[in-house]
Amino acid sequence: MSKYNKLWIYISNSGKDNLNLSYEEIEKIAGIPIDHSFLTYKKELLKYGYKVAKISMKAQTIQFIKE
């Protein structure tokens, strides 16, 4: 099981075509701090029908979109 599994399930269950989450929201949902390993783990999200569209370091947000 992935350390971001809770986040992937949350995104999948949202049913939204486009979802923007702040780093803080992601950390609360996942139950862990977001770190550089997220870039490796983000590929797992494809199994849930979503992908990472944009990561904004300045705004500290990540945009997820439905595939």
Side-chain angles (χ1 to χ4, degrees):
M1 179 177 355
S2 167
K3 69 181 192 175
Y4 289 104
N5 202 48
K6 289 180 186 176
L7 177 62
W8 306 154
I9 291 169
Y10 176 88
I11 293 167
S12 178
N13 288 341
S14 77
K16 296 181 179 178
D17 290 339
N18 187 340
L19 186 64
N20 289 299
L21 296 173
S22 69
Y23 290 2
E24 185 177 326
E25 289 171 314
I26 290 168
E27 289 175 357
K28 284 181 184 176
I29 295 163
I32 56 168
I34 192 168
D35 59 23
H36 70 280
S37 72
F38 180 82
L39 298 173
T40 302
Y41 284 97
K42 71 179 186 171
K43 294 178 272 182
E44 298 172 344
L45 187 54
L46 294 171
K47 292 186 273 184
Y48 294 87
Y50 285 81
K51 68 178 182 178
V52 173
K54 183 178 180 183
I55 299 173
S56 173
M57 300 294 282
K58 184 177 181 181
Q60 294 193 339
T61 60
I62 300 178
Q63 178 186 32
F64 303 93
I65 58 171
K66 200 174 222 179
E67 280 267 274

